[in-house]
Amino acid sequence: MLLARILEEKLASLYRAGAIHGGVFLGRGQEALSVSVGSNLRKGDIFAPLIRDQAGRMAFGDTVLDTLRTYLGSQLGSMRGRDGNIHRGRPREGYYAMISHLGAMIPAVCGALMARRMRGETGVVGATCLGDGGTSTGAFHEGLNVAAVEKLPLVLVIANNQYAYSTPSNRQFACADLIDKAAGYGVASHRVDGTDLSACLAVLGVAVRAAREGGGPQMIVGDLLRLVGHGEHDDASYIDPRLKASPLGRDCVKVAESFSIEKGWATAEEIAAWRAEAKKEVDATAAKVRREVSPDPGDEEWSAISDTRLADNFLEA
Amino acid sequence: MITYLEAIRAALDKALADDPRVFLYGQDIGSFGGAFKVTKNLAAKFPGRVLDAPLSEDAIVGVAIGAAIEGMRPVVEMQFADFSTCGFNQIVNHAATLFYRTEVPCPIVVRLPSGGTSGSGPFHSQSMEALYAHYPGLIVMTPGTVEDAYSMLLEAIALDDPVIFCEHKFLYNHLKAEKLPGQNLPVGKARLARHGRDATIVTYSAMVHESLAAAEELTGDGYEIEIVDLRTVKPLDTDTVLASVARTGRLLCVSEAFPWGGVSAEVVARVAAEGFGLLDAPPQRLNAKDTPVPYHPDLWTAHRPTASAIASATRRLLEM
């Protein structure tokens, strides 16, 4: 969680320095909820994260190195310059690469879980994340309905961060509470204060266990506030200052640090040392990746299909 | 005798029997056997592997993609090709991009009962092949014979790439063959459906048969028309097309799809660019009209190319 925060601070700084092509989308304020998803999953599970899930991704096994390689367009990254930023993954390891179309990963995770079940595998969980805006899509509806019909061990985590880009919740949905949507599909639901790490860990623990033990799909709504713009290009001037001053606007990393100190699990000095260590790792990795080779258009195969016999014989422009 | 529809069922049956990774997913395809009965009896024969889906085309394709990532070979049925627009996002943005982005192939087959039948109207008659062929990462098959319906579907399932399998509803019960083929042409290879010397008609799917009838009619005028059945519109076998045009010097491309862009435009563009010197006359196209597919049989017959419309277009080409 702390490493994700510090890595994202580096990404923002690289973006401002013009070192990153394309967008940078950060999860500041959402790390507690996100890391709780990744850390409750285990090897062999499936995880399809969304754009604000750096913390969850790292808890599931993504690395500082591959994150930076993808953002900086290194040829050595998992996407090899063919896709960037948060659109990364290693599907063979159960870590799916999101497409930008919101809700689209829900049915894909359902299909993966159906495949595992057909092969006789049990105890597998598939988790995917979405925001409040994503719950308005057709894919959300279709995907959650399929999960319920098939009684799949799907864990759907909604970061209710109050804005979909700039659109506030009252222009996004009209139900009294987002978790009401789950009941319509016959899906179990949970809600949690998304700024409270220990609460998130506990609730995700319950939901993941319920899915793993045959309880069917679980939907979790974490209430929180996005503490950054939609992307680093966005100053988020539309965010209501009253929300920032409310409990939703708490910084989950600070809350977790204070809680740890209060409980006597760590001292302020130890936390400062962890930060310094994380920053050192991130800075050293960024320096290394910035020297790595970029993809060469001359070496690129320029084929989108895997079967080389079937490359279309297009005219060279 | 075996029909085009039975050939598709036989291919699904064989794939299910031969490969435990294959499963079928789609609306009403289970014990009901599908809207056209393509999957009749398969659910009983292969328990747990022929699954009814909710009315959710996006989720149906999404489920197939996730299952394919996990090593399965899903074959999904859209009840009508027209409804695949509701699953369009998953097909073109997810399935089609997966291998390029992640190096993980996406071996799904999306079966599209395509094309017009009398009385079906605007939403149960469309030919979607050009839409999908436009996107990198998809293979688009358009079988026009019983033999191709069988062997190409088996190949579609065996391929590691996502395949849009456009099976023509008009051919389902009209087209019959003596037996199923053992061997067939490789994927992506066009077939000479008729040899000729005076003009080439390049076509595919149900229009192969309308074109063959037109060619038969033109023999009365002493013309020998060559017909190229593309079989697979993507990849497009430009070499076979050019070789035929080299023999005849004249090209008419016939498609049942809407006229703007599309397969016929692509064929003409390629021949104009690569084989301009082979042409004795301007290359021609004949497509459906630029309106939704009409309901009334008289309107529908005038909307799509028929044997007589193709014969007229070919005569005009021969007189140029």
Side-chain angles (χ1 to χ4, degrees):
Chain A
M1 180 179 178
L2 191 59
L3 183 57
R5 170 67 62 88
I6 284 160
L7 174 53
E8 289 201 336
E9 285 169 356
K10 181 70 177 180
L11 293 172
S13 142
L14 288 166
Y15 176 80
R16 286 192 295 270
I20 292 176
H21 295 281
V24 168
F25 304 91
L26 305 183
R28 192 179 180 90
Q30 301 190 188
E31 293 97 332
L33 181 65
S34 182
V35 79
S36 302
V37 188
S39 59
N40 272 292
L41 299 176
R42 61 192 189 203
K43 200 170 161 54
D45 285 342
I46 294 152
F47 184 39
L50 205 70
I51 66 174
R52 306 195 196 285
D53 285 312
Q54 185 63 39
R57 288 168 185 264
M58 297 182 82
F60 193 65
D62 196 2
T63 60
V64 171
L65 180 62
D66 200 51
T67 304
L68 283 162
R69 280 176 165 167
T70 307
Y71 267 101
L72 290 164
S74 166
Q75 171 67 25
L76 304 177
S78 52
M79 309 309 279
R80 300 150 294 134
R82 292 181 172 189
D83 207 340
N85 48 61
I86 62 301
H87 302 93
R88 67 183 187 280
R90 295 179 184 275
R92 284 216 171 85
E93 296 163 25
Y95 173 34
Y96 283 19
M98 58 170 278
I99 68 168
S100 300
H101 305 68
L102 297 177
M105 301 312 290
I106 301 174
V109 174
C110 290
L113 292 169
M114 286 166 68
R116 298 286 188 92
R117 186 168 67 190
M118 283 181 215
R119 286 211 303 260
E121 289 181 38
T122 54
V124 178
V125 166
T128 187
C129 301
L130 208 60
D132 40 275
T135 68
S136 303
T137 64
F140 166 86
H141 161 74
E142 293 193 12
L144 202 50
N145 185 58
V146 163
V149 167
E150 294 288 341
K151 299 181 178 59
L152 296 171
L154 175 82
V155 173
L156 172 62
V157 183
I158 313 292
N160 181 22
N161 68 12
Q162 316 303 317
Y163 290 88
Y165 203 151
S166 74
T167 303
S169 300
N170 68 343
R171 297 299 303 164
Q172 195 64 244
F173 55 88
C175 49
D177 194 311
L178 268 186
I179 63 167
D180 295 347
K181 294 198 177 191
Y185 302 105
V187 167
S189 62
H190 312 256
R191 75 172 316 148
V192 64
D193 175 354
T195 68
D196 181 345
L197 175 63
S198 50
C200 288
L201 284 168
V203 169
L204 262 299
V206 167
V208 169
R209 197 176 317 117
R212 207 181 294 287
E213 290 172 358
Q218 311 285 314
M219 185 173 115
I220 298 93
V221 175
D223 298 306
L224 46 86
L225 183 67
R226 158 160 54 84
L227 301 179
V228 281
H230 170 62
E232 282 305 278
H233 57 276
D234 170 26
D235 68 5
S237 55
Y238 46 80
I239 292 185
D240 186 338
R242 285 169 299 182
L243 279 175
K244 288 186 194 171
S246 78
L248 284 176
R250 299 194 301 173
D251 179 344
C252 62
V253 171
K254 285 187 185 154
V255 171
E257 287 179 349
S258 306
F259 187 73
S260 302
I261 293 168
E262 202 179 292
K263 286 279 181 187
W265 296 338
T267 64
E269 293 72 27
E270 281 171 319
I271 292 170
W274 295 342
R275 280 180 169 271
E277 195 185 327
K279 190 165 183 329
K280 199 171 150 193
E281 180 192 345
V282 166
D283 286 346
T285 309
K288 169 183 140 83
V289 171
R290 292 187 74 173
R291 291 191 300 271
E292 286 180 354
V293 65
S294 295
D296 182 343
D299 292 341
E300 179 77 8
E301 285 166 20
W302 297 113
S303 172
I305 57 171
S306 69
D307 193 321
T308 50
R309 297 169 306 161
L310 295 179
D312 202 346
N313 53 349
F314 283 110
L315 301 177
E316 289 294 330
Chain B
M1 295 294 275
I2 182 160
T3 65
Y4 183 93
L5 183 145
E6 288 162 350
I8 292 168
R9 185 189 300 138
L12 294 171
D13 192 331
K14 179 171 166 51
L16 283 161
D18 290 353
D19 188 343
R21 300 171 301 173
V22 174
F23 73 97
L24 315 186
Y25 191 51
Q27 294 155 17
D28 305 301
I29 69 165
S31 56
F32 184 67
F36 296 97
K37 300 294 173 199
V38 170
T39 55
K40 187 178 154 191
N41 298 333
L42 294 180
K45 189 167 176 187
F46 301 99
R49 295 173 63 198
V50 183
L51 304 170
D52 282 327
L55 269 166
S56 301
E57 285 81 4
D58 180 281
I60 289 170
V61 182
V63 159
I65 293 166
I69 291 171
E70 297 300 317
M72 303 295 278
R73 300 259 157 180
V75 181
V76 303
E77 176 178 306
M78 294 284 128
Q79 198 152 78
F80 286 79
D82 312 62
F83 301 142
S84 72
T85 51
C86 295
F88 193 66
N89 180 50
Q90 292 283 1
I91 297 173
V92 305
N93 287 313
H94 204 175
T97 65
L98 190 73
F99 175 73
Y100 184 73
R101 296 167 63 234
T102 68
E103 292 186 296
V104 173
C106 188
I108 70 170
V109 177
V110 182
R111 291 181 38 237
L112 303 187
S114 303
T117 50
S118 178
S120 294
F123 311 118
H124 296 76
S125 301
Q126 293 176 70
S127 299
M128 317 289 287
E129 62 277 358
L131 212 54
Y132 294 108
H134 180 70
Y135 278 86
L138 300 174
I139 304 292
V140 183
M141 297 184 177
T142 50
T145 66
V146 174
E147 293 81 356
D148 281 352
Y150 177 77
S151 66
M152 287 169 68
L153 182 51
L154 285 173
E155 283 170 308
I157 296 167
L159 281 174
D160 282 342
D161 293 294
V163 178
I164 307 301
F165 192 81
C166 304
E167 50 195 55
H168 203 292
K169 302 195 297 290
F170 187 76
L171 303 181
Y172 269 164
N173 298 308
H174 280 77
L175 208 58
K176 294 183 177 70
E178 289 295 335
K179 58 180 175 51
L180 295 172
Q183 275 196 317
N184 206 335
L185 290 169
V187 185
K189 188 78 186 149
R191 175 179 67 98
L192 277 186
R194 183 188 173 103
H195 294 272
R197 58 170 192 273
D198 298 315
T200 297
I201 296 176
V202 173
T203 189
Y204 55 96
S205 192
M207 288 296 121
V208 170
H209 306 284
E210 298 293 332
S211 300
L212 284 167
E216 198 56 39
E217 185 184 324
L218 289 163
T219 56
D221 303 344
Y223 292 120
E224 289 300 330
I225 307 302
E226 184 146 297
I227 296 175
V228 176
D229 173 3
L230 290 173
R231 301 172 73 241
T232 298
V233 301
K234 191 172 188 181
L236 200 157
D237 182 3
T238 315
D239 293 346
T240 296
V241 171
L242 285 168
S244 176
V245 173
R247 285 189 289 275
T248 66
R250 287 171 201 270
L251 171 67
L252 170 67
C253 193
V254 179
S255 140
E256 190 183 329
F258 300 134
W260 205 99
V263 175
S264 66
E266 184 67 28
V267 169
V268 166
R270 291 187 189 199
V271 170
E274 281 192 81
F276 193 72
L278 305 173
L279 290 163
D280 297 329
Q284 301 295 306
R285 304 164 61 206
L286 184 64
N287 299 290
K289 294 190 192 305
D290 193 23
T291 68
V293 184
Y295 152 73
H296 193 280
D298 295 348
L299 295 177
W300 175 66
T301 304
H303 182 269
R304 71 196 256 275
T306 55
S308 69
I310 296 166
S312 300
T314 310
R315 279 198 186 91
R316 285 195 298 277
L317 172 65
L318 289 162
E319 287 159 9
M320 281 179 181

